[in-house]
Amino acid sequence: MSPVRDLDRLLQDMDINRLRAVVFRDIDSKQAQFLALAVVYFISVLMVSKYRDILEPHNDKKHPQRSQSSRSTDSGAISGGLEVENGVSLRRYDSGIGDDHTSTAASDADLSSSGVAHGPDAISEALSTLSSEVRPAQPADSKGKNVKDILRSLVSTPADDIMVDPSLLPPVFLGSVGDAARDSSLQFRSFDRSVVVAPKKAGMTPSPGTSTPVPATTASSVSGGTPIDSVAVVSSGEASQSTSADSAAAAGGQVPASASLPSVPPLSPVTQHTAPNMSISERLEHALEKAAPLLREIFVDFAPFLSRTLLGSHGQELLIEGTSLVCMKSSSSVVELVMLLCSQEWQNSIQKNAGLAFIELVNEGRLLSHTMKDHLVRVANEAEFILSRQRAEDIHKHAEFESNSAQYAAEKRDEEKMCDHLIRAAKYRDHVTATQLIQKIVNILTDKHGAWGNSSISRPREFWRLDYWEDDLRRRRRFIRNPFGSTHSEATLKAAAEHASEEDILKGKQSIRSQALGNQNSESETLLDGDDDTLSSLDEKDLENLTGPVNLSTSAQLVAPAVVVKGTLSITASELYFEVDEDDQGFKAIDPKILAYTEGLHGKWLFTEIRAVFSRRYLLQNTALEIFMANRTAVMFNFPDAAAVKKVVHSLPRVGVGTNFGLPQTRRISLATPKQLFKASNMTQRWQRREISNFEYLIFLNTISGRTFNDLNQYPVFPWVITNYDSEELDLTLPSNFRDLSKPIGALNPKRAAFFSDRYESWEDDQVPKFHYGTHYSTSSFTLMWLLRIEPFTTFFLNFQGGKFDHADRTFSSVSRAWRNCQRDTSDVKELIPEFYYLPEMFVNANTYNLGVMEEGTVVSDVELPPWAKTPEEFVRINRLALESEFVSCQLHQWIDLIFGYKQQGPEATRALNVFYYLTYEGAVNLSSINDPMLREAVESQIRSFGQTPCQLLIEPHPPRSSAMQVTPLMFTEQMQQDVIMVLKFPSNSPVTHVAANTQPGLTSPAIITVTANRLFAVNKWHGLTGHQSSTVQDQQYQLPVEIDPLIASNVGSHRRQISDLLDQSIQISSQYFVITADNRFILLCGFWDKSFRVYSTDSGKLTQIVFGHRDVVTCLARSESYIGGDCYVLSGSRDATLLLWYWNGKHSSIGESPGTEFTTPRAILTGHDCEVTCASVCAELGLVISGCKEGPCLIHSMNGDLLRTLEGPERCLRPRLIQSSTEGHCMIYYDKGQFCLFSVNGKLLGHMEVEDSIKAMLLSRDGQYLLTGGDGGVVSVWQVHNLKQLFTYPGCDAGIRSMAMSHDQRCIITGMASGSIVLFYNDFNRWHHEYQTRY
């Protein structure tokens, strides 16, 4: 607050400036007109009171009276509380129009209150004085002409229905009102002229805190006088502290809900010492000096509005626009102004018109504010809508961002986990590989042929197990050392009573103990004790093992013969990984003995090793895959659903189902159903044409229909074919010795067939459909029972049986008893497994297990064979002969119908007495639809125990096989051919030390290649035997099968046929020094002084490669059978007593994986001999290398360098000279001095014979059944291998035989003679076939 500078002034400078500023802020608006009118009104009132003050100076004595009377008449309600007469709380702004006025007044008061100070208010007093002095002149009958009444009548009517919401007021007003409300305890309320002002503080009350009652005159309106009634002063001790302008602005009102005029701000008391010598006009001039210009300015600037508004009582303009206003503006005299403002007309007009103008302005303001309010509300709503939409969008975006972040984080976590997983798995694999290598080195050193070895009897017993290696016909015949082997002495026998009948199982009384499912790597076989701890510390991240980002990762189960374990399958751009989940409870429950036999637990397979991918079923659901590898093992995985299978196949290389079945190598073929594979392949036609054997065809059907060695519940099925297991001799020409293959095993015995038929007809159960047989012909327990005597099946069996061997009477102990049970027992309809046709070891208790004693006292050990088979090998051979016999060939298609074909299901199956329990069929149950884990486990366990029927391959009868007569009529015609076809003499007399006959139909240049002792070679064109292969006209002019090499015949270009590089002086050249590649394009030769062997082109005779690796002269070479593209293995043996296994790359025609590398490295180094290696044979299909040295035994190695067996012959068989092995698993060795020995691939001596001749060359037929020999006597002999019986001798030649070969069709034997010529003999192995001999 600014102090009052001049007490005589009407308004202080500051107040005038403020009023001017507020009025002239916006001159064109209604608000400005309204304010101008208010200021005129306000100044008029002040001016009149000031004028009175000047005319009649007051004295203090009257003051209390006035105050008191004013309070009693005007505002009795105020001192008691802040209530007006109509009961409306003063705190509420609800008096309609009054609010606008209040706020304006308050605002003006606020603006004009700079000069306020505590103390008495001179103007109020002056007005009161004037009022009381004029009072006596007022007549009593003023007829209600009181200004208050007039105004009330003007204002009250609209006030009832016009409400102005304070929230709509412009902010200028609100601010003022707010200040007033905050600062003041009393508020200006009514429209009448009484204003409540703060009391004088000094010179009026005896003590500041007390209220002094003072009489006062009633304010009244004076007719004829100036109607400036009622500026009443209320003196109040309680309010004495609030003397602000805002306090003054709070008046008690008698006119309810009426508008009010501006309040009068309190000013300092007028001093009693005003100069008495000043004249009235001077004093007026002095008082109004500053206010007058403002008033004039307002009059001039707002002339149109004011002259329109302020009209006289007769409607005349009081402010005449134009000249008078101009005069007024230029005039400096205030007297005119005073006269104008104090005139009756002016006062009446202001009272009468100002109110109306205010009401009109307020109404306009109200309308405007309503419009504004609507507009604001609309804008606010729109804004709210937009904001809420944005908020919603923000929330949505935020949620989306959060979910994306979470997803990304989860993916990253998974990726990290996967990387970590793969790294740990790789470390584990490296660790296992390292352990294996250590073990291998230890084995090599401690072997009895090793550096630390001894051949004493004190060596620990060796145990063997069946290797998972499969040959081309999927036969697993190779046994390898078993570090976990034992005699299972801890395994006790089950009691006879411990066996549930089939009916019990069917009724579900016995819960089948599902074998714990789980898995570990076969690599872990070699884990040394205490190594488990070292694994957990291998946690540093090392990404070297990952060859690329993981393209696909999915949960999967590894399906292995005795276990199924959960884990993660990951596929990168070039590798496949499986990592078992070792934290899984199922895995922890698995017997570690089982895990030792399980391969692929921490598996890693290169794409380059994958050879075939088959879709498979697991527990009757099409959710599995079996992947066949180059190392001739297969691995099987089960996935969560068929979609995962599809993804995995699309991430693996395009290999189809391999190259064997005549199918394209596409992913579509890998995903094809068994039916589709059967239809698309060419195997049935090949079988009909007798290009493949019955055994091979059955293996094919088992393979495509989902039978696998990896799931014992889906083991391949083979038929019983022989029915006679009792006679001393088995005559395979008698039909009675063969089973009727058109009936299932259960229907062979008519009595039992009737029983099954009755059961089917009388079966009544809503839940279980009718069936003939409650047990299956193939279940995991039957498979384990057949293979009980060989590991790893012994361990699987014991695990399955709770650690006990079965009771002796239930053990597989005799072939004839097993056959009898299959004919009599109502719960036994077992068919056979493929091993019955190739694995003699399954019948021998080699590990001396204690299998118990039967009821009648027989000890169970080896399987009792039928009398007609003296050895297991003989049993297997005869069984296989029977399988391939004509009787079986002509009805095998009927057995195929029962197992794989149209009699497998449906009405045909019922008619054929071939219906099994419903849970053995595909589609019987959809496991994914079973949500209850307990129920699902029960169903899975049932499927496991009941066996599974193979996938149905065809729904029409299978075509029969063509008869042998149709296919090869020549086989049965009288032989027209001479024994000797031709003799071909070369110009050189040097002995022909090597002959090779690569004459297979697909070759560009089939030829007989000969090499002489002085290393002159000839490429002699092969035309084939006449009447057999004369395909082109050009060939027909040659009646002879072989045409001599023109370069040799003419002797012109013989330098292109001579290998002139020097050999070591000490060697004696023989057939073993040469190898010819399968395409006839290259000769490999050893024996060079620089310890190398070399590769020469047969076209130009030029040297193309020199291969080093041995520490001494290379003394023999051999090559394996050749694969697609001409790839094969080459074996070199040396005087350094080692053998090296090399890889011949057919594409680049060189030794080694990639051409152009300076040093080639061998695939394996084979040790164990202790002197010069003289002969060797390598068989890729069996994965075996057989080698002999100058002095000492022959050894069998696996292709990765493990020494498997030592072949110990009889005492005179000391110096091996020639070795031949066949894919049928026979190994023929010729020793010095006419000694022959026959061994099995697993090291068993099968036969021995002695001949007079000194043999220089021998060959085995492709099926391993016949042996050809030739030697110094110049005689070629044919022998039967299994009994070493001589079948035939060809006419003798005039020179010794140095080498021998056989054409691809085995029809022609080519011998290289010591005289430098070759002789061709006609051959037909069929003539010694037992069926041929019995018929013709």
Side-chain angles (χ1 to χ4, degrees), residues 48-59 62 122 125-134 270 272 280 283:
V48 171
S49 74
K50 191 70 178 172
Y51 184 45
R52 294 277 166 88
D53 252 5
I54 291 168
L55 290 179
E56 300 171 19
H58 57 278
N59 55 48
K62 295 173 186 171
E125 293 199 4
L127 289 170
S128 308
T129 311
L130 283 172
S131 171
S132 51
E133 282 171 354
V134 219
V270 180
Q272 302 300 316
I280 286 175
R283 282 165 74 186

Side-chain angles (χ1 to χ4, degrees), residues 93 116 120 140 175 197 212 240 425 545 556 619 647 653 671 731 736 800 819 899 916 1274 1285:
Y93 301 95
V116 172
V197 239
T212 317
S240 64
N545 301 303
L619 295 177
K647 278 188 202 148
L671 289 166
D731 184 353
S736 60
F800 184 66
W819 169 251
I899 305 297
F916 291 85
K1285 176 182 155 195

Side-chain angles (χ1 to χ4, degrees), residues 1049-1207:
S1050 63
N1051 218 353
V1052 197
S1054 57
H1055 64 279
R1056 284 173 58 188
R1057 297 285 185 257
Q1058 177 71 53
I1059 295 167
S1060 50
D1061 295 350
L1062 290 174
L1063 299 187
D1064 191 83
Q1065 291 174 346
S1066 61
I1067 66 155
Q1068 262 187 316
I1069 210 155
S1070 76
S1071 189
Q1072 277 97 293
Y1073 280 68
F1074 304 92
V1075 158
I1076 314 291
T1077 58
D1079 55 8
N1080 292 326
R1081 288 176 55 214
F1082 294 91
I1083 295 178
L1084 283 71
L1085 172 59
C1086 66
F1088 294 96
W1089 61 272
D1090 61 2
K1091 305 162 191 171
S1092 69
F1093 67 91
R1094 306 185 181 191
V1095 182
Y1096 295 89
S1097 160
T1098 55
D1099 181 43
S1100 63
K1102 283 185 178 152
L1103 173 66
T1104 61
Q1105 190 180 15
I1106 302 180
V1107 182
F1108 292 98
H1110 285 286
R1111 306 287 180 92
D1112 207 335
V1113 176
V1114 182
T1115 51
C1116 70
L1117 288 175
R1119 79 167 170 86
S1120 70
E1121 64 277 39
S1122 187
Y1123 284 98
I1124 297 166
D1127 289 12
C1128 63
Y1129 288 100
V1130 170
L1131 184 68
S1132 63
S1134 161
R1135 278 189 192 153
D1136 64 11
T1138 65
L1139 295 111
L1140 300 182
L1141 186 67
W1142 308 85
Y1143 191 74
W1144 173 263
N1145 188 321
K1147 191 173 163 196
H1148 305 299
S1149 303
S1150 65
I1151 296 277
E1153 313 291 323
S1154 50
T1157 45
E1158 200 174 333
F1159 296 105
T1160 52
T1161 51
R1163 281 283 180 97
I1165 302 172
L1166 316 180
T1167 61
H1169 291 293
D1170 38 23
C1171 56
E1172 173 183 334
V1173 178
T1174 55
C1175 51
S1177 165
V1178 53
C1179 177
E1181 187 178 328
L1182 297 177
L1184 295 177
V1185 171
I1186 305 159
S1187 57
C1189 63
K1190 207 167 190 172
E1191 307 276 336
C1194 292
L1195 303 181
I1196 300 184
H1197 287 84
S1198 72
M1199 275 180 146
N1200 51 12
D1202 295 322
L1203 174 54
L1204 297 179
R1205 305 277 181 176
T1206 305
L1207 303 179

Side-chain angles (χ1 to χ4, degrees), residues 199-202 204-212 236-241:
K200 296 176 189 171
K201 189 166 183 184
M204 177 182 118
T205 50
S207 67
T210 61
S211 167
T212 317
S236 156
E238 303 93 274
S240 64
Q241 302 307 318

Side-chain angles (χ1 to χ4, degrees), residues 368-557:
L368 188 67
S369 67
H370 269 303
T371 317
M372 184 61 86
K373 177 189 172 185
D374 290 347
H375 178 65
L376 285 174
V377 167
R378 198 167 62 249
V379 169
N381 284 342
E382 282 176 14
E384 178 71 20
F385 175 70
I386 290 165
L387 281 173
S388 65
R389 200 167 64 195
Q390 281 184 330
R391 248 198 319 276
E393 270 178 25
D394 286 352
I395 289 168
H396 176 67
K397 279 182 185 163
H398 184 68
E400 199 177 357
F401 174 75
E402 285 206 320
S403 81
N404 286 345
S405 302
Q407 192 182 343
Y408 180 74
E411 280 170 8
K412 274 287 169 211
R413 258 201 312 279
D414 286 352
E415 209 175 294
E416 285 288 312
K417 217 159 102 188
M418 181 52 52
C419 287
D420 188 49
H421 193 67
L422 289 169
I423 292 160
R424 294 177 67 166
K427 294 201 162 171
Y428 184 86
R429 276 192 299 276
D430 291 349
H431 166 76
V432 162
T433 311
T435 320
Q436 269 182 309
L437 279 171
I438 292 169
Q439 191 62 49
K440 185 171 170 179
I441 292 164
V442 169
N443 287 348
I444 287 170
L445 291 169
T446 56
D447 187 89
K448 67 178 177 184
H449 298 286
W452 304 343
N454 59 352
S455 51
S456 69
I457 298 112
S458 63
R459 291 179 67 78
R461 175 171 178 179
E462 284 183 339
F463 290 94
W464 299 87
R465 75 176 183 85
L466 190 64
D467 193 14
Y468 294 131
W469 179 286
E470 296 177 5
D471 69 10
D472 288 351
L473 301 186
R474 300 206 60 198
R475 293 174 295 189
R476 304 194 292 178
R477 292 186 295 200
R478 202 170 89 171
F479 279 75
I480 55 173
R481 276 199 181 79
N482 181 11
F484 310 108
S486 78
T487 58
H488 288 293
S489 50
E490 77 291 343
T492 52
L493 291 170
K494 272 196 171 180
E498 273 189 68
H499 193 64
S501 80
E502 169 209 359
E503 303 294 330
D504 287 347
I505 295 175
L506 289 177
K507 291 180 182 130
K509 287 180 183 158
Q510 164 145 330
S511 67
I512 306 295
R513 201 177 85 82
S514 77
Q515 55 249 54
L517 304 181
N519 234 301
Q520 220 204 6
N521 212 351
S522 75
E523 284 113 56
S524 60
E525 294 170 16
T526 44
L527 275 185
L528 309 169
D529 288 343
D531 278 350
D532 298 350
D533 303 327
T534 55
L535 280 184
S536 50
S537 63
L538 298 172
D539 273 350
E540 322 81 54
K541 296 208 168 170
D542 166 21
L543 282 163
E544 280 181 356
N545 301 303
L546 270 181
T547 57
V550 177
N551 293 340
L552 175 71
S553 175
T554 173
S555 61
Q557 290 170 303

Side-chain angles (χ1 to χ4, degrees), residues 144-316:
K145 291 286 183 187
N146 190 325
V147 174
K148 278 190 286 189
D149 296 340
I150 296 165
L151 285 175
R152 183 187 296 152
S153 66
L154 283 174
V155 179
S156 61
T157 318
D160 289 340
D161 55 13
I162 297 171
M163 295 294 292
V164 177
D165 188 335
S167 66
L168 302 178
L169 293 171
V172 177
F173 296 4
L174 288 175
S176 320
V177 174
D179 290 346
R182 192 168 61 248
D183 298 340
S184 157
S185 59
L186 296 171
Q187 295 240 346
F188 172 94
R189 281 310 285 191
S190 63
F191 190 57
D192 77 340
R193 305 286 301 283
S194 32
V195 180
V196 181
V197 239
K200 296 176 189 171
K201 189 166 183 184
M204 177 182 118
T205 50
S207 67
T210 61
S211 167
T212 317
V214 187
T217 52
T218 314
S220 59
S221 167
V222 184
S223 63
T226 322
I228 37 162
D229 80 321
S230 73
V231 178
V233 180
V234 177
S235 165
S236 156
E238 303 93 274
S240 64
Q241 302 307 318
S242 341
T243 52
S244 69
D246 297 339
S247 316
Q254 292 172 337
V255 183
S258 62
S260 62
L261 288 174
S263 58
V264 183
L267 295 172
S268 338
V270 180
T271 51
Q272 302 300 316
H273 313 296
T274 313
N277 53 352
M278 287 177 82
S279 71
I280 286 175
S281 63
E282 279 171 339
R283 282 165 74 186
L284 277 174
E285 287 275 2
H286 179 69
L288 298 177
E289 185 184 8
K290 298 286 190 204
L294 172 65
L295 208 54
R296 286 196 193 97
E297 275 174 43
I298 290 172
F299 282 161
V300 171
D301 289 339
F302 289 92
F305 170 70
L306 291 175
S307 60
R308 206 168 57 244
T309 308
L310 297 175
L311 299 173
S313 51
H314 305 295
Q316 76 277 26

